[in-house]
């Protein structure tokens, strides 16, 4: 079974600064996807960034980037130039990559507060 | 693209009542997932379907919970009878090969 661990229950960062959220996972699979989701107070689950395990290049979406270390089973999220609107819960998630679609396994989340 | 649609967005009911949550998939997606989010347990999978067929319902907590997918674009999650411990946010998500994890806005259920 796959597990996802987010070791930082809460973090804070000053506006315009950079913050990194940690995520590790455990799997025996070789092909999989990793995700970061943002959940603001509205409760909407917003896909922030997605990484395919077979791609060596780290995914980037504007101010959001990941550091994917496959051998270490680590998938951290870096938020640059933090904005007040980045305040939210952030969830790391894993799913196997196969011919059919499979569900996401989530970490417990990290609550990020961006401080003005 | 309207995204995944869930209804109702909020539901308040009394213990013992039947509750039906609804979900419409993104057009062209062939998989549907029901998740539940609580403070204690976080996000957990209840059941998922591929091409209208239930694949894994091991996360359904009890026989009081049932889910159906009567057609390729629509699903219901029913709780009968409801209990206070069922209070949670219920998410529906859809996906297609190569595209993963698009969530609906969720239904916040409160059982009094």
């Amino acid at each position: 079974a796959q597990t996802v661990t987010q070791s930082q229950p809460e973090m804070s960062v000053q506006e315009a600064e950079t913050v990194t959220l940690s995520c590790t996972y455990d799997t025996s699979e070789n092909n999989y996807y990793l995700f970061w989701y943002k959940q603001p107070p509205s409760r909407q689950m917003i896909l922030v960034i997605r990484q395919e395990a077979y791609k060596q290049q780290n995914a980037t979406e504007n101010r959001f980037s990941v550091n994917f270390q496959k051998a270490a089973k680590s998938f951290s999220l870096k938020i640059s130039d933090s904005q007040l609107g980045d305040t939210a819960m952030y969830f790391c998630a894993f799913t196997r990559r196969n011919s059919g679609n499979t569900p996401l396994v989530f970490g417990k989340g990290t609550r990020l507060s961006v401080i003005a | 693209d309207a995204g995944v649609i869930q209804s109702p967005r909020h539901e308040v009911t009394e213990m013992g009542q039947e509750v039906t949550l609804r979900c419409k998939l993104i057009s062209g997606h062939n998989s549907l997932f029901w998740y539940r989010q609580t403070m204690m347990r976080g996000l957990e999978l209840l059941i998922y379907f591929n091409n209208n067929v239930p694949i894994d319902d091991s996360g359904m907590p009890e026989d009081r919970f049932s889910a159906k997918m009567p057609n390729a674009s629509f699903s219901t999650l029913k709780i009968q009878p409801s209990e206070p411990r069922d209070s949670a946010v219920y998410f529906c998500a859809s996906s297609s090969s190569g595209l993963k994890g698009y969530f609906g806005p969720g239904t916040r259920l409160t059982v009094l």
Side-chain angles (χ1 to χ4, degrees):
Chain A
Q2 292 81 24
T3 59
V4 177
T5 302
Q6 293 179 249
S7 59
Q8 306 150 315
E10 295 187 12
M11 294 191 71
S12 61
V13 62
Q14 290 289 131
E15 196 175 9
E17 297 295 309
T18 295
V19 64
T20 298
L21 308 184
S22 300
C23 173
T24 58
Y25 58 95
D26 188 24
T27 183
S28 58
E29 302 282 340
N30 192 47
N31 292 320
Y32 48 87
Y33 293 99
L34 294 162
F35 305 83
W36 279 98
Y37 281 88
K38 171 185 177 182
Q39 188 178 42
S42 67
R43 291 281 192 169
Q44 176 74 47
M45 292 289 288
I46 301 167
L47 179 63
V48 174
I49 200 165
R50 171 175 50 227
Q51 176 79 41
E52 296 172 49
Y54 68 89
K55 290 187 177 179
Q56 292 185 341
Q57 186 173 4
N58 289 326
T60 299
E61 290 286 342
N62 301 313
R63 298 182 296 107
F64 299 86
S65 61
V66 298
N67 183 5
F68 173 48
Q69 301 290 328
K70 191 172 184 180
K73 295 181 182 176
S74 171
F75 184 61
S76 60
L77 175 70
K78 185 172 80 171
I79 306 174
S80 304
D81 185 25
S82 297
Q83 301 175 0
L84 296 178
D86 296 334
T87 293
M89 283 289 289
Y90 286 82
F91 293 94
C92 180
F94 168 102
T95 189
R96 290 181 288 122
R97 179 174 183 261
N98 55 18
S99 58
N101 295 307
T102 53
L104 294 164
V105 176
F106 288 92
K108 294 294 187 186
T110 296
R111 184 178 301 280
L112 177 67
S113 298
V114 180
I115 303 165
Chain B
D1 188 346
V4 177
I5 299 171
Q6 289 189 249
S7 63
R9 295 292 303 276
H10 302 274
E11 177 81 17
V12 179
T13 190
E14 293 188 348
M15 183 174 63
Q17 296 297 307
E18 178 180 297
V19 174
T20 299
L21 311 182
R22 296 174 176 80
C23 174
K24 185 176 186 300
L25 283 70
I26 293 173
S27 178
H29 284 194
N30 62 337
S31 294
L32 180 140
F33 307 84
W34 283 103
Y35 296 92
R36 179 171 69 175
Q37 186 178 32
T38 61
M39 288 294 292
M40 292 297 294
R41 300 174 66 90
L43 278 154
E44 53 182 348
L45 176 74
L46 298 177
I47 185 171
Y48 79 100
F49 298 80
N50 281 341
N51 299 312
N52 298 13
V53 177
I55 303 301
D56 183 357
D57 65 355
S58 60
M60 297 285 262
E62 299 169 31
D63 291 344
R64 298 184 295 108
F65 286 68
S66 63
K68 294 182 180 180
M69 201 166 173
N71 59 55
S73 61
F74 182 74
S75 178
T76 59
L77 176 68
K78 187 175 292 187
I79 308 172
Q80 167 64 24
S82 58
E83 296 183 3
R85 60 191 167 126
D86 301 331
S87 297
V89 179
Y90 291 80
F91 288 101
C92 170
S94 75
S95 69
S96 181
S97 296
L99 301 171
K100 299 288 186 177
Y102 292 90
F103 280 73
T107 295
R108 182 185 293 272
L109 173 65
T110 303
V111 183
L112 302 174

